[in-house]
Amino acid sequence: ATDNQSVSPQPIGEVRARVALLSGCAQKLLAPEIHASTLRVLAQNGVEVVVPEKQVCCGALAAHTGDLKLAVRFARQNLAAFPTDIDAIISNAAGCGSGMHEYGLWLQGEAEETAGREFAARVCDIAKFLVQIGCRTPPAYPRRIRVAYHDACHLAHAQKVRSEPRTLLKNIENIELVPIRDADICCGSAGTYNIEQPEIAKRLGAAKARAVQETGADLVVTGNIGCMMQLQTHLERPIPVVHTIQLLDACYRQCEVV
């Protein structure tokens, strides 16, 4: 590792790729176990991971609130912090991945526009990346469970990543994937929307929670920390909510996710 990046656990078996991981802001503090699971799963799949230490916020939250000047500042700092000799820049938070895909747009007309577009082209959600390289099938989950997958808007609509998380989940033995009614409707988290429009967000969250509970699922899986928090807040019947990568990690480790 160089002075400005740390390296993840050693890849298992043949090294198949080298990537850089976005640490993010909220998720790093609220659910650091998601990053731990990400590093372990990538190692299981022969992927070397560097975590640039000089990286900063992706800028998505600043952009959501209309502070494009701050978003551009963060984008410039990340352009300098992330290495270019990598196969992908991995995000495990849908909102962050969506924001980084806009670096070329945020920097339009600036000297860094081309670099921003090249950076954005290397950004890849963790689920999509694993499917692209051919995820090594993990051991069966310890018991049979029903799993409901919730589409984060920033993943399904902004990044067009819909099938890949489901593909990963369907490949795990003992997991029955069940659909959620009105899957394309937002849960109400939506970046900063639940802060700026709390009443509407509350109604959306309650509706999404009812749709989840109708499935009879034992576990809810999604790809965004904001959605995880929103669902946990509104589910009346306690149902564990975890990230896709956490479920994969539990299978590789042959333990239950919660």
Side-chain angles (χ1 to χ4, degrees):
T2 63
D3 290 340
N4 68 343
Q5 63 190 34
S6 60
V7 182
S8 73
Q10 286 296 311
I12 295 171
E14 176 189 1
V15 176
R16 305 163 70 197
R18 183 172 186 266
V19 303
L21 177 66
L22 177 79
S23 296
C25 304
Q27 181 172 276
K28 181 170 60 177
L29 297 174
L30 296 170
E33 60 273 15
I34 294 175
H35 282 330
S37 289
T38 299
L39 294 174
R40 287 192 292 263
V41 169
L42 288 171
Q44 285 284 347
N45 281 275
V47 180
E48 180 184 354
V49 186
V50 296
V51 184
E53 294 178 357
K54 292 185 178 180
Q55 66 175 293
V56 294
C57 173
C58 67
L61 291 180
H64 288 321
T65 58
D67 192 347
L68 186 58
K69 184 176 180 180
L70 180 59
V72 166
R73 193 181 85 192
F74 286 145
R76 286 186 171 125
Q77 288 179 264
N78 281 329
L79 290 183
F82 277 76
T84 56
D85 58 339
I86 51 174
D87 299 297
I89 296 166
I90 299 296
S91 170
N92 53 22
C96 296
S98 176
M100 292 191 295
H101 274 294
E102 295 185 352
Y103 276 13
L105 179 62
W106 294 354
L107 292 163
Q108 189 171 10
E110 303 290 336
E112 302 91 347
E113 179 180 351
T114 298
R117 294 190 183 280
E118 291 173 350
F119 184 102
R122 294 199 301 274
V123 174
C124 190
D125 179 76
I126 181 63
K128 182 176 181 178
F129 179 77
L130 287 170
V131 169
Q132 284 180 340
I133 67 170
C135 185
R136 292 169 178 167
T137 303
Y141 195 71
R143 60 186 176 90
R144 293 192 62 82
I145 58 170
R146 290 166 61 86
V147 173
Y149 176 76
H150 163 66
D151 284 291
C153 291
H154 281 107
L155 198 55
H157 303 312
Q159 298 186 61
K160 312 301 182 187
V161 176
R162 296 183 177 90
S163 65
E164 293 89 344
R166 291 175 170 84
T167 296
L168 294 175
L169 297 172
K170 287 177 180 177
N171 286 339
I172 302 173
E173 190 178 344
N174 281 344
I175 286 179
E176 177 189 355
L177 194 60
V178 295
I180 299 175
R181 173 178 53 82
D182 297 328
D184 282 342
I185 295 179
C186 179
C187 69
S189 176
T192 58
Y193 192 79
N194 58 348
I195 298 173
E196 296 172 340
Q197 300 289 341
E199 291 304 316
I200 300 174
K202 184 178 179 180
R203 291 199 296 271
L204 288 168
K208 182 64 68 174
R210 286 194 296 272
V212 168
Q213 288 168 332
E214 289 172 4
T215 68
D218 304 296
L219 187 69
V220 185
V221 174
T222 189
N224 189 54
I225 183 64
C227 297
M228 291 173 66
M229 296 175 64
Q230 180 80 338
L231 288 167
Q232 288 166 346
T233 297
H234 291 282
L235 284 168
E236 294 179 3
R237 177 172 67 85
I239 307 174
V241 183
V242 301
H243 195 287
T244 310
I245 203 72
Q246 290 178 282
L247 183 52
L248 276 173
D249 181 36
C251 292
Y252 282 121
R253 298 166 67 194
Q254 297 184 282
C255 64
E256 294 201 22
V257 72
V258 288

